Amino acid sequence: MAALPSRRDVLRATGLLAAAGAVSGSLSGCAEQLQSGFTGTAPSADVLTYWNLLGGGDGVRMQEMEGVYRKQRPGVDLRAVTLTWGNPYYTKLSLATLGAQPPDVAISHLTRVPTLVSAGLLQPFAPEDLARHGMSKDKFVQRAIERATIDGRIYAIPLDTHPFVMFYNTKICKQAGLLADDGSLKPLDSEDALVEALHKAKEVTKSWGGAVASVADVATPWRFFFSLYGQLGGKLLMGTSPEEILEPDKAIRAAKLMRRLTVEEKVMPPNIDYGGAIAQFANGRSGFFFQGEWEISTFKDAKMPFSMTRFPNLMGGTYAVQADSHTFVLPSKEPYERARLDLVLGFVRSMLDQSMTWAEGGHVPSWLPVQQSEKYRALKPQSNYVGAAESAVYDPPAWYSGSGSNFEMVAGSALGGVLSGRTQPEAAIRQIQVGISKMARTPAPV
């Protein structure tokens, strides 16, 4: 009787199938890669496979950057595949790597890197390899590159930092007396200063002072809360019991401010989804809007008077703001051969050098030769919040955390209830403690 397949065999087969499913519809781009995996043959030396999860404006800009690379390296057959954002992407990337069929290089959120590393699915970047392509740690935003360094080894090359920011309608804010003589927004670095500004903006709009998504969106309430909690110096995942998930006193204080803005002061709508919050701001029905900087393209397309600045320091502690970073990773269980590694690093360096194109979408470049250039400093309003990159607070490392993760679903759902007035802050924080604790006590699936 033939021997039964081992668990590793099953995982590998599953990975191959997942890889095939992941690229359905664009199979021609990876057909050779899949075939070489089944036959055991090496991929062609001039083929470079690249997976990402970048849609919308980010996807358009990435395709533009890929086009520049193709012109720079006409001898390289770059095969880029864009997959569905969030958990589906990371599941496919993990299974493809387990199945020995990963792309040569992939995009990963920085908050997802520790989980991929702990599962043995990423190869590190050696400093001497990076040096051959002019990349060293001192040329990157230190907060991002240090977070990408695990046990002294660099596992990800950060392309950007994308922080939670504050958009404001310049016409409304001027009428409300909120602009300085140079046209910039007056400082709003306290809880009362923000509340007062939102009331003044509401008097102008006759509708709302600000807008933030609170329903049918778990990520935004989490980003809002984590920015406030970070400014209080709050810690996360200190252990696995509910009492060790976060610091209740600081968490409740942050949640109370969220409730104050919507339920008590009534300066922001309590029940509005992501698209609705965008519409409120774009239509001049609110003077402020709180979201990731990537929405800059939306408001530029709307041709409305607006600007952007960092999310204010509302809690009075050391400045902090929630953020994540897009990074390049090497998804493989085996070390790369020199020629293939250099092919990948040449691609990564090209992407970094095109960070001005990437920055037009709002993201802060991690590549300092671009971020510290006069050209980037002149890029407005994007460069207004460049300092947020070195004050970024990232989701804690855990197999269930990171952008688009189960952690955000549990926490964001509870905090959305606070914004909408359905849940008291104390109850929401307890809900987070219990829900996250269950995941913290569950072994990682890979």
Side-chain angles (χ1 to χ4, degrees):
M1 185 174 66
L4 294 174
S6 67
R7 181 172 181 272
R8 179 177 292 274
D9 293 333
V10 172
L11 285 172
R12 184 173 186 277
T14 304
L16 289 171
L17 290 172
V23 296
S24 62
S26 55
L27 188 59
S28 59
C30 291
E32 182 179 342
Q33 181 190 14
L34 291 173
Q35 183 181 23
S36 69
F38 281 116
T39 61
T41 59
S44 300
D46 61 348
V47 173
L48 179 64
T49 53
Y50 166 49
W51 284 12
N52 67 71
L53 69 173
L54 305 167
D58 281 352
V60 172
R61 275 178 286 277
M62 178 52 67
Q63 289 176 18
E64 180 182 343
M65 293 160 67
E66 292 165 3
V68 171
Y69 173 78
R70 289 187 175 98
K71 291 181 179 177
Q72 293 171 337
R73 298 292 302 274
V76 177
D77 183 4
L78 174 63
R79 300 180 180 182
V81 177
T82 301
L83 302 170
T84 303
W85 193 93
N87 276 335
Y89 174 78
Y90 291 103
T91 299
K92 289 170 180 173
L93 184 62
S94 298
L95 291 175
T97 306
L98 285 168
Q101 275 300 291
D104 295 314
V105 59
I107 287 285
S108 171
H109 285 98
L110 186 51
T111 54
R112 293 284 190 147
V113 170
T115 299
L116 296 171
V117 171
S118 65
L121 300 179
L122 296 185
Q123 291 297 308
F125 294 90
E128 57 271 25
D129 293 328
L130 293 174
R132 283 200 307 278
H133 295 267
M135 295 181 282
S136 53
K137 289 185 70 172
D138 62 321
K139 292 182 178 177
F140 291 90
V141 167
Q142 291 303 292
R143 183 65 68 106
I145 195 70
E146 290 301 329
R147 178 60 188 265
T149 304
I150 300 173
D151 295 332
R153 309 177 83 180
I154 302 171
Y155 280 94
I157 300 299
L159 174 64
D160 65 37
T161 302
H162 40 276
F164 198 65
V165 299
M166 182 165 68
F167 295 80
Y168 59 98
N169 184 308
T170 52
K171 182 177 180 180
I172 292 172
C173 286
K174 183 177 182 179
Q175 289 180 262
L178 298 173
L179 299 186
D181 293 340
D182 64 358
S184 64
L185 187 70
K186 293 178 181 177
L188 300 179
D189 285 330
S190 75
E191 181 176 340
D192 288 340
L194 177 66
V195 170
E196 182 181 357
L198 292 174
H199 273 297
K200 288 182 176 177
K202 184 176 180 178
E203 290 174 6
V204 174
T205 66
K206 309 300 182 186
S207 183
W208 298 102
V212 66
S214 57
V215 297
D217 174 20
V218 295
T220 303
W222 167 249
R223 292 174 185 136
F224 202 146
F225 168 83
F226 196 31
S227 296
L228 302 174
Y229 188 64
Q231 292 173 6
L232 291 168
K235 298 178 181 178
L236 287 168
L237 303 185
M238 297 164 284
T240 59
S241 69
E243 290 70 26
E244 296 173 307
I245 298 303
L246 44 65
E247 299 178 77
D249 290 347
K250 295 176 180 176
I252 290 171
R253 183 181 166 192
K256 282 186 173 179
L257 173 54
M258 297 170 71
R259 176 182 168 85
R260 180 184 175 189
L261 295 172
T262 54
V263 178
E264 297 172 8
E265 301 284 348
K266 301 185 189 307
V267 289
M268 300 204 299
N271 292 294
I272 193 166
D273 62 13
Y274 194 108
I278 287 176
Q280 286 280 343
F281 184 68
N283 294 328
R285 292 173 59 81
S286 70
F288 293 86
F289 174 66
F290 302 92
Q291 189 48 267
E293 29 67 25
W294 51 83
E295 290 301 344
I296 183 175
S297 299
T298 301
F299 303 124
K300 280 195 169 185
D301 290 344
K303 302 186 184 307
M304 59 175 291
F306 81 98
S307 189
M308 304 161 66
T309 190
R310 68 173 193 167
F311 183 78
N313 188 351
L314 302 177
M315 309 309 282
T318 300
Y319 184 69
V321 65
Q322 188 277 341
D324 205 338
S325 296
H326 295 112
T327 71
F328 295 100
V329 296
L330 302 174
S332 175
K333 294 179 70 66
E334 304 293 337
Y336 282 45
E337 294 180 355
R338 171 73 175 262
R340 184 147 298 275
L341 179 60
D342 281 335
L343 189 64
V344 169
L345 292 175
F347 171 75
V348 171
R349 177 59 193 268
S350 174
M351 296 297 105
L352 295 176
D353 287 341
Q354 296 182 66
S355 290
M356 274 303 298
T357 299
W358 195 240
E360 289 173 1
H363 306 317
V364 180
S366 288
W367 184 232
L368 295 181
V370 171
Q371 191 210 93
Q372 295 177 346
S373 68
E374 289 297 326
K375 189 174 182 181
Y376 177 72
R377 290 172 181 164
L379 185 67
K380 298 293 181 182
Q382 290 92 329
S383 61
N384 290 347
Y385 48 87
V386 63
E390 289 291 10
S391 300
V393 286
Y394 293 94
D395 287 4
W399 68 262
Y400 47 84
S401 78
S403 291
S405 68
N406 293 339
F407 185 109
E408 285 193 352
M409 292 180 191
V410 171
S413 176
L415 295 165
V418 172
L419 284 169
S420 66
R422 301 190 310 272
T423 310
Q424 290 292 332
E426 293 83 355
I429 298 308
R430 186 60 185 170
Q431 188 177 329
I432 294 172
Q433 288 178 293
V434 173
I436 300 298
S437 176
K438 290 179 181 177
M439 290 189 283
R441 287 183 274 110
T442 303
V446 293

